[in-house]
Coordinates of all heavy atoms in Angstrom, one line a residue:
M2 N -38.2 19.7 10.2 CA -38.4 21.1 10.4 C -39.7 21.6 9.6 O -39.9 21.2 8.5 CB -37.2 21.9 10.0 CG -36.0 21.9 10.9 SD -36.4 22.7 12.5 CE -36.0 24.4 12.1
A3 N -40.4 22.4 10.2 CA -41.7 22.8 9.6 C -41.4 23.8 8.5 O -42.3 24.0 7.6 CB -42.5 23.5 10.7
T4 N -40.2 24.4 8.4 CA -40.0 25.4 7.3 C -40.0 24.8 5.9 O -40.2 25.5 5.0 CB -38.6 26.1 7.6 OG1 -37.7 25.1 7.8 CG2 -38.7 27.0 8.7
S5 N -39.7 23.5 5.8 CA -39.7 22.9 4.5 C -41.1 22.4 4.0 O -41.3 22.0 2.9 CB -38.7 21.7 4.4 OG -39.2 20.7 5.3
E6 N -42.0 22.5 4.9 CA -43.4 22.1 4.6 C -44.1 23.1 3.7 O -43.9 24.3 3.9 CB -44.2 22.0 5.9 CG -45.0 20.7 6.0 CD -45.6 20.6 7.4 OE1 -46.6 21.2 7.6 OE2 -44.9 19.9 8.2
K7 N -44.8 22.6 2.7 CA -45.6 23.5 1.9 C -46.9 23.9 2.5 O -47.6 23.1 3.1 CB -45.8 22.8 0.5 CG -44.6 22.6 -0.3 CD -44.9 22.3 -1.7 CE -43.6 22.3 -2.5 NZ -43.8 22.3 -3.9
K8 N -47.1 25.2 2.4 CA -48.3 25.7 3.1 C -49.3 26.2 2.0 O -49.0 26.7 1.0 CB -48.0 27.0 3.9 CG -47.3 26.6 5.2 CD -47.0 27.9 6.0 CE -46.0 27.7 7.0 NZ -45.3 28.9 7.4
L9 N -50.6 26.0 2.3 CA -51.6 26.4 1.4 C -51.8 27.9 1.6 O -52.0 28.4 2.7 CB -53.0 25.7 1.8 CG -54.2 26.2 1.0 CD1 -54.1 25.9 -0.5 CD2 -55.5 25.6 1.5
K10 N -51.7 28.6 0.4 CA -51.9 30.0 0.4 C -53.1 30.4 -0.5 O -53.3 29.7 -1.5 CB -50.6 30.7 0.0 CG -49.5 30.4 0.9 CD -48.3 31.4 0.6 CE -47.2 31.1 1.6 NZ -46.3 32.2 1.6
I11 N -53.7 31.5 -0.2 CA -54.8 32.0 -1.1 C -54.4 33.4 -1.4 O -54.2 34.2 -0.6 CB -56.1 31.9 -0.4 CG1 -56.4 30.4 -0.1 CG2 -57.2 32.4 -1.3 CD1 -57.6 30.2 0.8
C12 N -54.4 33.7 -2.7 CA -54.0 35.0 -3.2 C -55.2 36.0 -3.1 O -56.3 35.5 -2.8 CB -53.4 35.0 -4.6 SG -54.7 35.0 -5.9
S13 N -55.0 37.2 -3.4 CA -56.1 38.2 -3.3 C -57.2 37.9 -4.2 O -58.3 38.4 -4.1 CB -55.5 39.6 -3.5 OG -54.9 39.6 -4.8
K14 N -57.0 37.1 -5.3 CA -58.0 36.8 -6.2 C -58.7 35.5 -5.9 O -59.6 35.1 -6.6 CB -57.5 36.8 -7.7 CG -57.2 38.1 -8.3 CD -56.9 38.0 -9.7 CE -56.6 39.3 -10.3 NZ -56.0 39.2 -11.7
G15 N -58.2 34.8 -4.9 CA -58.9 33.6 -4.4 C -58.3 32.3 -5.0 O -58.8 31.3 -4.8
H16 N -57.1 32.4 -5.7 CA -56.5 31.2 -6.2 C -55.8 30.5 -5.0 O -55.1 31.2 -4.2 CB -55.4 31.6 -7.3 CG -56.0 32.4 -8.4 ND1 -55.4 33.5 -8.9 CD2 -57.1 32.2 -9.1 CE1 -56.1 34.0 -9.9 NE2 -57.1 33.3 -10.0
K17 N -55.9 29.2 -5.0 CA -55.2 28.4 -4.0 C -54.0 27.9 -4.5 O -53.9 27.3 -5.7 CB -56.1 27.3 -3.5 CG -57.3 27.9 -2.7 CD -58.2 26.8 -2.3 CE -59.5 27.4 -1.6 NZ -60.6 26.4 -1.5
Y18 N -52.9 27.9 -3.8 CA -51.6 27.4 -4.2 C -50.8 27.0 -3.0 O -51.0 27.5 -1.9 CB -50.9 28.3 -5.2 CG -50.5 29.7 -4.6 CD1 -49.2 29.9 -4.2 CD2 -51.5 30.7 -4.4 CE1 -48.9 31.1 -3.6 CE2 -51.2 31.9 -3.9 CZ -49.9 32.1 -3.5 OH -49.5 33.3 -3.0
Y19 N -49.8 26.2 -3.3 CA -48.9 25.7 -2.2 C -47.5 26.3 -2.4 O -47.0 26.3 -3.6 CB -48.8 24.2 -2.2 CG -50.1 23.6 -1.7 CD1 -51.1 23.2 -2.5 CD2 -50.3 23.4 -0.3 CE1 -52.3 22.6 -2.1 CE2 -51.4 22.8 0.2 CZ -52.4 22.4 -0.7 OH -53.6 21.8 -0.2
K20 N -47.0 26.9 -1.4 CA -45.6 27.4 -1.5 C -44.9 27.1 -0.2 O -45.5 27.2 0.9 CB -45.7 28.9 -1.7 CG -45.8 29.4 -3.1 CD -44.4 29.6 -3.7 CE -44.5 29.8 -5.2 NZ -44.7 31.1 -5.6
S21 N -43.7 26.7 -0.3 CA -42.9 26.4 0.9 C -42.2 27.7 1.4 O -41.9 27.8 2.6 CB -41.9 25.3 0.6 OG -41.1 25.7 -0.5
S22 N -42.0 28.6 0.5 CA -41.3 29.8 0.9 C -42.4 30.9 1.3 O -43.6 30.7 1.2 CB -40.5 30.4 -0.2 OG -41.3 30.8 -1.2
D23 N -41.9 32.1 1.6 CA -42.8 33.2 2.0 C -43.1 34.0 0.7 O -43.8 35.1 0.8 CB -42.2 34.0 3.0 CG -42.5 33.4 4.4 OD1 -43.5 32.8 4.6 OD2 -41.6 33.6 5.3
C24 N -42.7 33.6 -0.4 CA -42.9 34.3 -1.7 C -44.4 34.5 -1.9 O -45.2 33.5 -1.9 CB -42.3 33.5 -2.8 SG -42.7 34.2 -4.4
P25 N -44.9 35.7 -2.0 CA -46.3 35.9 -2.2 C -46.9 35.8 -3.6 O -48.0 36.0 -3.8 CB -46.5 37.4 -1.7 CG -45.2 38.0 -2.1 CD -44.1 36.9 -2.1
T26 N -46.0 35.4 -4.5 CA -46.4 35.4 -5.9 C -47.3 34.2 -6.2 O -46.9 33.0 -5.9 CB -45.2 35.3 -6.8 OG1 -44.3 36.3 -6.5 CG2 -45.6 35.5 -8.3
C27 N -48.5 34.4 -6.7 CA -49.4 33.4 -7.0 C -49.2 32.9 -8.4 O -49.2 33.7 -9.4 CB -50.8 33.9 -6.9 SG -52.1 32.9 -7.8
P28 N -48.9 31.6 -8.7 CA -48.6 31.1 -10.0 C -49.7 31.3 -11.0 O -49.5 31.5 -12.2 CB -48.3 29.6 -9.8 CG -48.7 29.3 -8.4 CD -48.9 30.6 -7.6
T29 N -51.0 31.2 -10.5 CA -52.1 31.4 -11.4 C -52.1 32.9 -11.9 O -52.3 33.1 -13.1 CB -53.4 31.1 -10.7 OG1 -53.3 29.8 -10.2 CG2 -54.6 31.1 -11.7
C30 N -51.9 33.8 -11.0 CA -51.9 35.2 -11.4 C -50.7 35.5 -12.4 O -50.9 36.2 -13.3 CB -51.8 36.1 -10.2 SG -53.3 36.2 -9.2
E31 N -49.6 34.9 -12.1 CA -48.4 35.0 -12.9 C -48.7 34.6 -14.3 O -48.4 35.3 -15.3 CB -47.3 34.2 -12.4 CG -46.5 34.8 -11.3 CD -45.7 36.0 -11.8 OE1 -44.6 35.8 -12.4 OE2 -46.1 37.1 -11.6
Q32 N -49.4 33.5 -14.5 CA -49.7 33.0 -15.8 C -50.7 33.9 -16.5 O -50.6 34.1 -17.7 CB -50.3 31.6 -15.7 CG -49.3 30.6 -16.3 CD -50.0 29.2 -16.5 OE1 -51.0 28.9 -15.8 NE2 -49.5 28.4 -17.3
E33 N -51.6 34.4 -15.8 CA -52.7 35.3 -16.4 C -52.0 36.6 -16.9 O -52.6 37.3 -17.8 CB -53.7 35.6 -15.4 CG -54.7 34.5 -15.2 CD -55.8 34.8 -14.1 OE1 -55.7 35.9 -13.5 OE2 -56.6 33.9 -13.9
R34 N -50.9 37.0 -16.3 CA -50.3 38.2 -16.7 C -49.4 38.1 -17.9 O -48.8 39.1 -18.3 CB -49.4 38.7 -15.5 CG -49.6 40.2 -15.2 CD -48.8 40.6 -14.0 NE -49.3 40.0 -12.8 CZ -48.5 39.6 -11.8 NH1 -47.2 39.8 -11.8 NH2 -49.0 39.1 -10.7
K35 N -49.3 36.9 -18.4 CA -48.4 36.7 -19.6 C -48.7 37.7 -20.7 O -49.8 37.8 -21.2 CB -48.7 35.3 -20.2 CG -47.6 34.3 -19.9 CD -47.5 33.0 -20.6 CE -48.6 32.5 -21.4 NZ -48.6 31.1 -21.7
P36 N -47.7 38.5 -21.0 CA -47.9 39.6 -21.9 C -48.0 39.2 -23.4 O -48.6 39.8 -24.2 CB -46.7 40.5 -21.7 CG -45.6 39.6 -21.2 CD -46.3 38.5 -20.5
A37 N -47.4 38.1 -23.7 CA -47.3 37.7 -25.1 C -48.6 37.6 -25.8 O -48.8 38.1 -26.9 CB -46.5 36.3 -25.2
D38 N -49.6 36.9 -25.2 CA -50.9 36.8 -25.9 C -51.9 37.6 -25.1 O -53.1 37.1 -25.0 CB -51.3 35.3 -26.0 CG -51.1 34.6 -24.7 OD1 -50.5 35.1 -23.7 OD2 -51.6 33.4 -24.6
G39 N -51.6 38.7 -24.6 CA -52.5 39.5 -23.9 C -53.8 39.9 -24.6 O -54.9 39.7 -24.1
F40 N -53.6 40.3 -25.9 CA -54.8 40.8 -26.6 C -55.6 39.6 -27.1 O -56.8 39.6 -27.2 CB -54.5 41.8 -27.7 CG -54.1 41.1 -29.0 CD1 -55.0 41.0 -30.0 CD2 -52.8 40.7 -29.2 CE1 -54.6 40.4 -31.3 CE2 -52.4 40.1 -30.4 CZ -53.3 40.0 -31.4
L41 N -54.9 38.5 -27.4 CA -55.6 37.3 -27.9 C -56.5 36.7 -26.8 O -57.5 36.1 -27.0 CB -54.6 36.2 -28.3 CG -53.9 36.6 -29.7 CD1 -52.8 35.6 -30.0 CD2 -54.9 36.6 -30.8
S42 N -56.0 36.8 -25.5 CA -56.7 36.2 -24.4 C -58.1 36.9 -24.2 O -58.9 36.4 -23.5 CB -55.9 36.2 -23.2 OG -55.6 37.5 -22.8
Q43 N -58.2 38.1 -24.7 CA -59.5 38.9 -24.5 C -60.5 38.4 -25.5 O -61.7 38.8 -25.4 CB -59.2 40.4 -24.7 CG -58.4 41.0 -23.6 CD -58.0 42.4 -24.0 OE1 -58.7 43.1 -24.6 NE2 -56.8 42.8 -23.5
L44 N -60.1 37.7 -26.5 CA -61.0 37.4 -27.6 C -61.7 36.1 -27.4 O -61.3 35.2 -26.6 CB -60.3 37.3 -28.9 CG -59.6 38.5 -29.4 CD1 -58.7 38.2 -30.6 CD2 -60.6 39.6 -29.7
S45 N -62.8 35.8 -28.1 CA -63.5 34.6 -28.0 C -62.6 33.5 -28.7 O -61.8 33.9 -29.5 CB -64.9 34.6 -28.7 OG -64.7 34.9 -30.0
A46 N -62.8 32.3 -28.4 CA -62.0 31.2 -28.9 C -62.0 31.2 -30.5 O -60.9 31.1 -31.1 CB -62.4 29.9 -28.4
P47 N -63.2 31.3 -31.1 CA -63.2 31.3 -32.6 C -62.4 32.5 -33.2 O -61.7 32.3 -34.2 CB -64.7 31.4 -33.0 CG -65.4 31.0 -31.7 CD -64.5 31.4 -30.6
A48 N -62.5 33.6 -32.6 CA -61.8 34.8 -33.1 C -60.3 34.7 -32.9 O -59.5 35.0 -33.8 CB -62.3 36.1 -32.3
R49 N -59.9 34.1 -31.8 CA -58.5 33.9 -31.5 C -57.9 32.9 -32.5 O -56.9 33.2 -33.1 CB -58.3 33.4 -30.1 CG -56.9 33.4 -29.6 CD -56.8 33.1 -28.2 NE -57.4 31.9 -27.8 CZ -58.3 31.8 -26.8 NH1 -58.7 32.8 -26.1 NH2 -58.8 30.6 -26.5
R50 N -58.7 31.9 -32.8 CA -58.2 30.9 -33.7 C -58.1 31.5 -35.1 O -57.1 31.2 -35.9 CB -59.1 29.7 -33.8 CG -58.7 28.6 -32.8 CD -59.3 27.2 -33.2 NE -60.8 27.3 -33.2 CZ -61.6 27.1 -32.2 NH1 -61.0 26.9 -31.0 NH2 -62.9 27.2 -32.2
A51 N -59.0 32.3 -35.5 CA -59.0 32.9 -36.8 C -57.8 33.8 -37.0 O -57.1 33.7 -38.0 CB -60.3 33.8 -37.0
L52 N -57.4 34.5 -36.0 CA -56.2 35.3 -36.1 C -54.9 34.4 -36.2 O -54.1 34.7 -37.0 CB -56.1 36.3 -34.9 CG -57.1 37.4 -34.8 CD1 -56.9 38.3 -33.6 CD2 -57.2 38.2 -36.1
E53 N -54.9 33.5 -35.3 CA -53.7 32.6 -35.2 C -53.6 31.8 -36.6 O -52.5 31.6 -37.0 CB -53.9 31.6 -34.1 CG -53.6 32.3 -32.7 CD -53.9 31.4 -31.5 OE1 -54.5 30.3 -31.7 OE2 -53.5 31.8 -30.4
N54 N -54.7 31.4 -37.1 CA -54.7 30.7 -38.4 C -54.1 31.6 -39.5 O -53.6 31.1 -40.6 CB -56.0 30.2 -38.8 CG -56.5 29.0 -38.0 OD1 -55.6 28.4 -37.3 ND2 -57.8 28.7 -38.0
N55 N -54.2 32.9 -39.4 CA -53.7 33.8 -40.4 C -52.4 34.4 -39.9 O -51.9 35.4 -40.5 CB -54.7 34.9 -40.6 CG -55.9 34.4 -41.4 OD1 -55.8 34.4 -42.6 ND2 -57.0 34.1 -40.8
G56 N -51.8 33.7 -39.0 CA -50.4 34.1 -38.6 C -50.3 35.3 -37.7 O -49.3 35.9 -37.6
I57 N -51.5 35.7 -37.1 CA -51.5 36.9 -36.3 C -51.4 36.6 -34.8 O -52.4 36.0 -34.3 CB -52.7 37.8 -36.6 CG1 -52.7 38.2 -38.1 CG2 -52.7 39.0 -35.7 CD1 -54.0 38.8 -38.5
T58 N -50.3 36.8 -34.2 CA -50.2 36.5 -32.8 C -49.8 37.8 -32.0 O -49.8 37.7 -30.8 CB -49.2 35.4 -32.5 OG1 -48.0 35.7 -33.1 CG2 -49.7 34.1 -33.0
T59 N -49.5 38.8 -32.7 CA -49.1 40.1 -32.0 C -49.9 41.2 -32.6 O -50.4 41.1 -33.7 CB -47.6 40.3 -32.1 OG1 -47.3 40.7 -33.5 CG2 -46.7 39.2 -31.7
L60 N -49.9 42.3 -31.8 CA -50.6 43.5 -32.3 C -49.9 44.1 -33.5 O -50.5 44.7 -34.3 CB -50.7 44.5 -31.1 CG -51.7 44.1 -30.0 CD1 -51.5 45.0 -28.8 CD2 -53.1 44.2 -30.5
Q61 N -48.6 44.0 -33.5 CA -47.8 44.5 -34.7 C -48.3 43.8 -35.9 O -48.4 44.4 -37.0 CB -46.3 44.3 -34.5 CG -45.7 45.1 -33.3 CD -45.9 46.6 -33.4 OE1 -45.9 47.1 -34.5 NE2 -46.0 47.3 -32.3
Q62 N -48.4 42.5 -35.9 CA -48.9 41.7 -37.0 C -50.3 42.1 -37.4 O -50.7 42.2 -38.6 CB -48.8 40.2 -36.8 CG -47.3 39.7 -36.8 CD -47.2 38.3 -36.2 OE1 -48.0 38.0 -35.3 NE2 -46.2 37.6 -36.6
L63 N -51.1 42.3 -36.4 CA -52.5 42.7 -36.6 C -52.6 44.0 -37.3 O -53.5 44.2 -38.2 CB -53.3 42.7 -35.2 CG -54.7 43.1 -35.3 CD1 -55.5 42.0 -36.0 CD2 -55.3 43.3 -33.8
S64 N -51.7 44.9 -37.0 CA -51.8 46.3 -37.6 C -51.4 46.3 -39.1 O -51.6 47.3 -39.7 CB -50.9 47.2 -36.8 OG -49.5 46.9 -37.1
K65 N -51.0 45.1 -39.6 CA -50.7 45.1 -41.0 C -51.9 44.8 -41.8 O -51.9 44.7 -43.1 CB -49.6 44.0 -41.3 CG -48.2 44.3 -40.7 CD -47.2 43.4 -41.2 CE -45.8 43.8 -40.7 NZ -45.6 43.5 -39.3
F66 N -53.0 44.5 -41.1 CA -54.3 44.2 -41.8 C -55.2 45.4 -41.7 O -55.1 46.1 -40.7 CB -54.9 42.9 -41.2 CG -54.1 41.7 -41.5 CD1 -53.0 41.3 -40.8 CD2 -54.5 40.9 -42.6 CE1 -52.3 40.2 -41.1 CE2 -53.7 39.7 -42.9 CZ -52.6 39.4 -42.1
S67 N -56.2 45.5 -42.6 CA -57.2 46.5 -42.5 C -58.4 45.8 -41.7 O -58.5 44.6 -41.7 CB -57.6 47.0 -43.8 OG -58.4 46.0 -44.5
E68 N -59.3 46.7 -41.3 CA -60.5 46.3 -40.6 C -61.3 45.3 -41.4 O -61.8 44.3 -40.9 CB -61.3 47.5 -40.3 CG -61.9 47.6 -38.9 CD -62.6 48.9 -38.6 OE1 -61.8 49.9 -38.4 OE2 -63.8 48.9 -38.7
K69 N -61.4 45.7 -42.7 CA -62.2 44.8 -43.6 C -61.6 43.4 -43.8 O -62.3 42.4 -43.8 CB -62.2 45.5 -45.0 CG -63.5 46.0 -45.4 CD -63.4 46.6 -46.8 CE -64.7 47.3 -47.2 NZ -64.5 48.0 -48.5
E70 N -60.3 43.4 -43.9 CA -59.6 42.1 -44.1 C -59.8 41.2 -42.8 O -60.0 40.0 -42.9 CB -58.1 42.3 -44.3 CG -57.8 42.9 -45.7 CD -56.3 43.3 -45.8 OE1 -55.7 43.8 -44.8 OE2 -55.8 43.2 -46.9
I71 N -59.7 41.8 -41.7 CA -59.9 41.1 -40.4 C -61.3 40.5 -40.3 O -61.5 39.4 -39.9 CB -59.6 42.0 -39.2 CG1 -58.1 42.4 -39.2 CG2 -60.0 41.3 -37.9 CD1 -57.2 41.3 -38.8
L72 N -62.3 41.3 -40.7 CA -63.7 40.8 -40.7 C -64.0 39.7 -41.6 O -64.9 38.9 -41.4 CB -64.6 42.0 -41.0 CG -65.0 42.9 -39.8 CD1 -65.8 44.1 -40.3 CD2 -65.7 42.1 -38.7
Q73 N -63.1 39.5 -42.6 CA -63.3 38.4 -43.6 C -62.8 37.1 -43.1 O -63.1 36.1 -43.6 CB -62.6 38.8 -44.9 CG -63.6 39.6 -45.8 CD -62.8 40.3 -46.9 OE1 -61.7 40.1 -47.2 NE2 -63.5 41.3 -47.5
F74 N -62.0 37.2 -42.0 CA -61.5 35.9 -41.4 C -62.7 35.1 -40.8 O -63.5 35.7 -40.1 CB -60.5 36.2 -40.3 CG -59.2 36.8 -40.8 CD1 -58.3 37.4 -39.8 CD2 -58.9 36.8 -42.1 CE1 -57.1 37.9 -40.2 CE2 -57.7 37.3 -42.5 CZ -56.8 37.9 -41.6
H75 N -62.7 33.9 -41.1 CA -63.8 33.0 -40.5 C -63.6 33.0 -39.0 O -62.6 32.5 -38.5 CB -63.8 31.6 -41.1 CG -64.9 30.8 -40.6 ND1 -66.2 30.9 -41.0 CD2 -64.9 29.8 -39.7 CE1 -66.9 30.0 -40.4 NE2 -66.2 29.3 -39.6
G76 N -64.7 33.4 -38.3 CA -64.6 33.4 -36.8 C -64.6 34.7 -36.2 O -64.9 34.9 -35.0
I77 N -64.2 35.7 -37.0 CA -64.2 37.1 -36.5 C -65.5 37.8 -36.7 O -66.0 37.9 -37.8 CB -63.1 37.9 -37.2 CG1 -61.7 37.3 -37.0 CG2 -63.1 39.4 -36.7 CD1 -61.0 37.7 -35.7
G78 N -66.2 38.2 -35.6 CA -67.4 38.9 -35.8 C -67.3 40.3 -35.4 O -66.2 40.7 -34.9
P79 N -68.3 41.1 -35.7 CA -68.2 42.6 -35.4 C -68.0 42.8 -33.9 O -67.4 43.9 -33.6 CB -69.6 43.1 -35.9 CG -70.1 42.1 -36.8 CD -69.5 40.8 -36.4
A80 N -68.3 41.9 -33.1 CA -68.2 42.1 -31.7 C -66.7 42.1 -31.3 O -66.3 42.6 -30.2 CB -68.9 41.0 -30.9
S81 N -65.9 41.4 -32.1 CA -64.4 41.3 -31.8 C -63.7 42.6 -32.1 O -62.7 42.9 -31.5 CB -63.8 40.2 -32.6 OG -64.5 39.0 -32.3
L82 N -64.3 43.4 -33.0 CA -63.6 44.6 -33.5 C -63.2 45.6 -32.4 O -62.1 46.1 -32.4 CB -64.3 45.2 -34.7 CG -64.0 44.8 -36.1 CD1 -64.6 45.6 -37.1 CD2 -62.5 44.8 -36.3
P83 N -64.2 46.0 -31.6 CA -63.9 47.0 -30.6 C -62.8 46.5 -29.7 O -61.9 47.4 -29.3 CB -65.2 47.1 -29.8 CG -66.3 46.7 -30.7 CD -65.6 45.6 -31.6
K84 N -62.7 45.3 -29.3 CA -61.6 44.7 -28.5 C -60.3 44.9 -29.2 O -59.3 45.2 -28.6 CB -61.9 43.3 -28.1 CG -63.0 43.1 -27.2 CD -63.2 41.6 -26.9 CE -64.6 41.4 -26.2 NZ -65.0 39.9 -26.3
L85 N -60.3 44.5 -30.5 CA -59.1 44.6 -31.2 C -58.6 46.0 -31.4 O -57.4 46.3 -31.2 CB -59.3 44.0 -32.6 CG -59.5 42.5 -32.7 CD1 -59.8 42.0 -34.1 CD2 -58.3 41.7 -32.2
K86 N -59.5 46.9 -31.6 CA -59.2 48.3 -31.8 C -58.6 48.9 -30.5 O -57.7 49.7 -30.5 CB -60.5 49.1 -32.2 CG -60.8 49.1 -33.6 CD -61.9 50.1 -33.9 CE -62.3 50.1 -35.4 NZ -63.6 50.8 -35.6
A87 N -59.2 48.5 -29.4 CA -58.8 49.0 -28.1 C -57.4 48.5 -27.8 O -56.5 49.3 -27.3 CB -59.7 48.6 -27.0
A88 N -57.1 47.3 -28.2 CA -55.8 46.7 -27.9 C -54.8 47.4 -28.8 O -53.6 47.6 -28.3 CB -55.8 45.2 -28.2
L89 N -55.1 47.6 -30.0 CA -54.2 48.3 -31.0 C -53.9 49.7 -30.5 O -52.7 50.1 -30.5 CB -54.8 48.4 -32.4 CG -54.8 47.1 -33.2 CD1 -55.7 47.2 -34.4 CD2 -53.4 46.7 -33.6
K90 N -54.9 50.4 -30.0 CA -54.7 51.7 -29.5 C -53.8 51.8 -28.3 O -52.9 52.7 -28.2 CB -56.1 52.3 -29.1 CG -56.1 53.8 -29.1 CD -57.5 54.3 -28.8 CE -57.5 55.8 -28.5 NZ -58.8 56.2 -27.9
E91 N -53.9 50.8 -27.4 CA -53.0 50.7 -26.3 C -51.6 50.6 -26.7 O -50.7 51.0 -26.0 CB -53.5 49.5 -25.4 CG -54.0 49.9 -24.1 CD -54.5 48.7 -23.3 OE1 -53.7 47.9 -23.0 OE2 -55.7 48.7 -23.1
E92 N -51.4 49.9 -27.8 CA -50.1 49.6 -28.3 C -49.5 50.8 -29.1 O -48.4 50.8 -29.5 CB -50.1 48.3 -29.2 CG -48.8 47.8 -29.7 CD -48.0 47.1 -28.6 OE1 -48.5 46.9 -27.5 OE2 -46.8 46.7 -28.9
G93 N -50.4 51.7 -29.4 CA -50.0 52.9 -30.2 C -50.1 52.7 -31.7 O -49.4 53.4 -32.5
V94 N -50.7 51.6 -32.1 CA -50.9 51.3 -33.6 C -52.3 51.3 -33.9 O -53.2 51.4 -33.1 CB -50.1 50.0 -33.9 CG1 -48.7 50.2 -33.8 CG2 -50.6 48.9 -33.1
S95 N -52.6 51.0 -35.2 CA -54.0 50.9 -35.6 C -54.1 50.0 -36.9 O -53.1 49.6 -37.4 CB -54.6 52.3 -36.0 OG -53.9 52.8 -37.0
F96 N -55.3 49.7 -37.2 CA -55.5 48.9 -38.4 C -55.0 49.6 -39.7 O -55.0 50.8 -39.7 CB -57.0 48.6 -38.7 CG -57.6 47.5 -37.8 CD1 -58.6 47.7 -36.9 CD2 -57.0 46.2 -37.8 CE1 -59.1 46.7 -36.2 CE2 -57.5 45.2 -37.1 CZ -58.6 45.4 -36.2
K97 N -54.6 48.8 -40.6 CA -54.1 49.4 -41.9 C -55.2 50.2 -42.5 O -56.3 49.7 -42.6 CB -53.6 48.3 -42.8 CG -52.8 48.7 -44.0 CD -52.4 47.6 -44.9 CE -53.5 47.1 -45.8 NZ -53.1 46.0 -46.6
K98 N -54.9 51.4 -43.0 CA -55.9 52.2 -43.6 C -55.9 51.9 -45.1 O -54.8 51.9 -45.8 CB -55.6 53.7 -43.4 CG -55.5 54.1 -42.0 CD -56.8 54.8 -41.5 CE -56.6 55.4 -40.2 NZ -56.0 54.7 -39.2
L99 N -57.1 51.8 -45.7 CA -57.2 51.6 -47.1 C -57.5 53.0 -47.7 O -58.5 53.6 -47.4 CB -58.2 50.6 -47.5 CG -58.0 49.1 -47.0 CD1 -59.1 48.2 -47.4 CD2 -56.6 48.6 -47.5
T100 N -56.6 53.4 -48.7 CA -56.8 54.7 -49.2 C -58.0 54.8 -50.1 O -58.6 55.9 -50.2 CB -55.6 55.1 -50.0 OG1 -55.2 54.0 -50.8 CG2 -54.4 55.5 -49.2
N101 N -58.5 53.7 -50.7 CA -59.6 53.8 -51.6 C -60.9 53.4 -50.9 O -61.9 53.2 -51.5 CB -59.4 52.9 -52.8 CG -59.2 51.4 -52.4 OD1 -59.0 51.1 -51.2 ND2 -59.2 50.5 -53.4
E102 N -60.9 53.3 -49.5 CA -62.0 53.0 -48.8 C -62.9 54.2 -48.5 O -62.4 55.3 -48.3 CB -61.6 52.4 -47.4 CG -62.4 51.3 -47.0 CD -61.9 50.6 -45.7 OE1 -62.0 51.3 -44.6 OE2 -61.4 49.5 -45.8
K103 N -64.2 54.0 -48.6 CA -65.1 55.1 -48.4 C -65.7 55.1 -47.0 O -65.9 54.1 -46.5 CB -66.2 55.1 -49.5 CG -65.7 55.4 -50.8 CD -66.8 55.8 -51.8 CE -66.2 56.3 -53.1 NZ -66.9 55.9 -54.2
Ligands
LIG229 ZN1 -53.9 34.4 -7.9

């Protein structure tokens, strides 16, 4: 029967995949939507490694650090900061504020 045959499908983003059912879910898109490392996936590889090496894999953990502390991590450049700030803002949190900072 032809119904058990896998058919080549192409999703709206152009990913090719094979599915035997009529399920329209594209596995590549599904993986890209993974929420766990959403903000990390926006960063450059060195910046991502720098955060991971310091035990930061979530925005909640990131918010326990100040902007200054994050910049001291090897691999984090000033270009990464706006992305991190935007991600924190979306989560409703922000970098730790230092009271003695000018
Ligand atoms: Zn896709």
Side-chain angles (χ1 to χ4, degrees):
M2 285 292 275
T4 47
S5 63
E6 226 170 81
K7 291 196 172 190
K8 285 182 197 154
L9 173 65
K10 299 195 176 195
I11 299 169
C12 85
S13 55
K14 282 188 184 169
H16 306 132
K17 290 175 185 162
Y18 60 103
Y19 288 92
K20 274 270 170 87
S21 53
S22 69
D23 278 329
C24 171
T26 311
C27 160
T29 307
C30 287
E31 274 292 282
Q32 249 191 337
E33 280 176 1
R34 223 178 295 146
K35 252 192 350 197
D38 49 350
F40 85 100
L41 287 173
S42 64
Q43 293 170 31
L44 300 172
S45 63
R49 189 168 59 232
R50 269 200 301 274
L52 292 182
E53 285 170 350
N54 286 343
N55 285 278
I57 301 169
T58 53
T59 69
L60 289 166
Q61 297 299 330
Q62 285 164 335
L63 181 63
S64 69
K65 293 191 174 76
F66 292 82
S67 73
E68 224 174 285
K69 248 185 189 172
E70 288 170 324
I71 294 289
L72 275 173
Q73 274 159 14
F74 293 166
H75 182 74
I77 301 275
S81 303
L82 269 188
K84 288 179 194 164
L85 292 174
K86 274 187 186 173
L89 285 168
K90 203 178 166 190
E91 245 174 65
E92 185 77 4
V94 291
S95 60
F96 280 123
K97 193 178 84 182
K98 301 257 191 319
L99 296 181
T100 43
N101 59 350
E102 218 174 70
K103 286 197 174 144

